[in-house]
Amino acid sequence: MSLAVTASLSLAFRQLLRDAKAGELKTLFTALLIAVTISTAIGYFTSRLYGAMASGAGEFIAADLVLSGPVPARPEQVEAGLQLGLEHARTLEFSTVVATDEEIQLTSVKAVNAAYPLKGILRVADAPYAVEQPVRAVPTPGEVWVERRLLVALDLTLGDPVEIGLKEFRISRILTYEPDRAGNFYSLTPRVLMNLDDLEATGVIQPGSRVRYLDLWAGSPEPLQYYRRLVEAVLWSGQRVEEPQDGNRDSAN
């Protein structure tokens, strides 16, 4: 090491000691410590916020991922998700007429199985204008939950019977909130929620019927993305895969 370098290091060390005794180095260190702490806290907060938003965003589709289309998902498409350990629920949406002895009303019907919803929660009321309450269940076979505006349109009360196709149902609750209710065609008419097990008995789904089939999936990010890649490679015409970050559901209709 040359004398010039040694002298420079010695001078730098003496200046460092002088700054330390003067308090300037301590102030600089404190400022640096505060800056690092704030930066770390912001990064942690941002990460937590993003995680919370991503989790909450799933409520808008009642799942982490949805496979939808005008035809039912093929068995192999469903089996692929089940083999990956993903949670699965199935729903159908269609328009039909709800009838009483004296009136009829065009409605949008959602038929769901017991696993629905995978994200978010349904809310219902036991009387018009009553306080809504969350439920972790779906209508039992033979019952339907309806929006209050359907009761008004048909002059009905809870407990009254209605007909959907060939089957009669009893109105058991007022439907106030669905996590995946979207501003699409099906939202323009009063909503009816029914059990998927009752669908065949109604006889309303016929060739040419306008039906939207949805397979809902939830799970960890890695298997979900793997499943998405698998399914996107073999989509039928009209089928699409959707996640919360993919945008507005309106584009699907």
Side-chain angles (χ1 to χ4, degrees), residues 176-190:
T176 61
Y177 176 77
E178 303 160 68
D180 56 341
R181 182 68 178 270
N184 54 33
F185 172 80
Y186 297 106
S187 299
L188 302 179
T189 52

Side-chain angles (χ1 to χ4, degrees), residues 14-141:
R14 289 197 301 272
Q15 289 178 334
L16 181 64
L17 290 178
R18 183 188 63 190
D19 292 341
K21 292 178 180 179
E24 295 178 3
L25 188 61
K26 185 176 182 180
T27 300
L28 179 62
F29 177 78
T30 302
L32 180 62
L33 180 61
I34 293 173
V36 171
T37 301
I38 292 175
S39 178
T40 302
I42 291 175
Y44 177 76
F45 174 77
T46 302
S47 177
R48 291 292 299 272
L49 180 62
Y50 177 80
M53 291 178 63
S55 177
E59 182 171 337
F60 291 104
I61 60 172
D64 293 322
L65 181 148
V66 174
L67 171 63
S68 65
V71 294
R74 299 197 301 275
E76 57 267 29
Q77 291 176 319
V78 176
E79 185 61 28
L82 297 178
Q83 289 183 354
L84 290 170
L86 300 176
E87 297 179 72
H88 179 237
R90 175 166 286 167
T91 73
L92 286 84
E93 296 179 350
F94 57 93
S95 292
T96 192
V97 168
V98 169
T100 66
D101 290 339
E102 300 178 351
E103 301 284 346
I104 61 172
Q105 173 65 46
L106 180 65
T107 62
S108 58
V109 178
K110 178 187 284 185
V112 302
N113 68 0
Y116 171 85
L118 299 181
K119 296 287 185 178
I121 194 166
L122 290 164
R123 293 200 288 267
V124 298
D126 292 327
Y129 305 107
V131 176
E132 63 180 8
Q133 54 188 325
V135 292
R136 296 191 177 276
V138 298
T140 58

Side-chain angles (χ1 to χ4, degrees), residues 153-215:
L154 296 179
D155 193 23
L156 297 171
T157 61
L158 290 181
D160 285 345
V162 292
E163 293 180 0
I164 300 178
L166 303 176
K167 185 173 177 60
E168 184 176 272
F169 295 87
R170 183 178 68 87
I171 300 174
S172 59
R173 281 176 163 173
I174 296 174
L175 181 65
T176 61
Y177 176 77
E178 303 160 68
D180 56 341
R181 182 68 178 270
N184 54 33
F185 172 80
Y186 297 106
S187 299
L188 302 179
T189 52
R191 177 78 98 182
V192 175
L193 190 71
M194 64 179 288
N195 195 297
L196 188 59
D197 291 340
D198 283 327
L199 182 62
E200 185 176 355
T202 66
V204 296
I205 304 301
Q206 300 293 330
S209 297
R210 188 177 189 270
V211 183
R212 188 165 182 252
Y213 296 86
L214 300 103
D215 284 86

